[in-house]
Amino acid sequence: MINNQLKITAIIFSIILLGSVGYWLYQTSKPTAIRSILNAYNEKVFKPKGWKVCFLKDQSGLLDQTVDWCYKKWSVYDKSLTKEKLLASYKKRLHDDQLPFTMIVLDDNGKMIGMTSLKPSSGAKELKDWEKPYKAWLGTTVVNDNMQKTLLRKNMLELIQQLALQMGYTQLWWYTSDPKNNWTIEEEIAEKIQECDFRGHTIAIMRLKMHKKITEDSKKEKS
């Protein structure tokens, strides 16, 4: 009787131990997998063009510039926005193994030419009804003026899509303050779900068509 109880106790302990080890391995493998995807995109996509994508966590000296870019884009629409609010928000995105995180793109001189974020929620209380556990939300995405006619935005969006999938998110959403002029709709990369009022202006809630190839042959890239 005692021996059976000891065996049952040993089995239960083994199951708990294996579960704990498995969870630990899963957690520790996430940064490695994410970094592997990022490194692969750098080698195959960004590096040949003289660009480098990295986490803001690794380039925290560019935090203020990231905030400035976001403020310049959004303050036109949201009069309640301040740089202090944005700084507090972006300080929470200094991750590489969990959401939220921010990625930036540098040129071969180390100058920032692009930025984007991936978040577990929209961050807006007005959109709380749209939040779901399987959704990731794209944050403010900006590219430098002289990069507008390149594939930089598409390359960033394609990378973000792969990272979202790696982290278990099956849908990628965002909202834009320019519903009538959206290149992702024109090129059938995303679909507009709904337009709605948001802090004094109209936004469009967007959903990316996951798994759809975003970038085209590099020969089609405009100079």
Side-chain angles (χ1 to χ4, degrees), residues 3 8 11 26 28-29 35 43 71 80 82 116 118 130 133 136 153 155 159 162-163 175 187 207 212 219:
N3 287 338
I8 293 172
I11 291 171
Y26 169 72
T28 54
S29 68
R35 290 276 182 176
E43 286 298 316
Y71 181 78
S80 67
T82 66
T116 190
L118 192 61
W130 292 89
R153 286 187 303 183
N155 293 148
L159 173 55
Q162 295 305 314
L163 294 177
Y175 57 93
E187 302 189 25
R207 180 171 62 196
K212 180 178 176 63
K219 292 180 182 178

Side-chain angles (χ1 to χ4, degrees), residues 127-164:
L127 302 177
K128 63 180 181 180
D129 292 340
W130 292 89
E131 312 290 359
K132 298 292 180 183
Y134 52 82
K135 291 181 182 178
W137 287 76
L138 189 69
T140 299
T141 302
V142 184
V143 299
N144 214 1
D145 290 343
N146 61 351
M147 294 286 114
Q148 293 292 334
K149 293 183 179 181
T150 70
L151 288 176
L152 179 56
R153 286 187 303 183
K154 291 183 178 180
N155 293 148
M156 290 166 60
L157 188 55
E158 192 169 68
L159 173 55
I160 280 284
Q161 175 184 236
Q162 295 305 314
L163 294 177

Side-chain angles (χ1 to χ4, degrees), residues 14 18 25 49 74 95 99 112 117 120 132 181 184:
S14 298
L18 287 172
L25 288 172
K49 300 172 183 176
W74 273 102
H95 302 293
L99 301 190
M112 190 167 84
S117 294
K132 298 292 180 183
N181 181 26
T184 60

Side-chain angles (χ1 to χ4, degrees), residues 67-68 71 80-91:
V67 168
D68 287 342
Y71 181 78
S80 67
L81 189 64
T82 66
K83 288 188 177 182
E84 288 75 20
K85 289 180 181 178
L86 286 173
L87 181 60
S89 176
Y90 275 92
K91 281 184 176 178

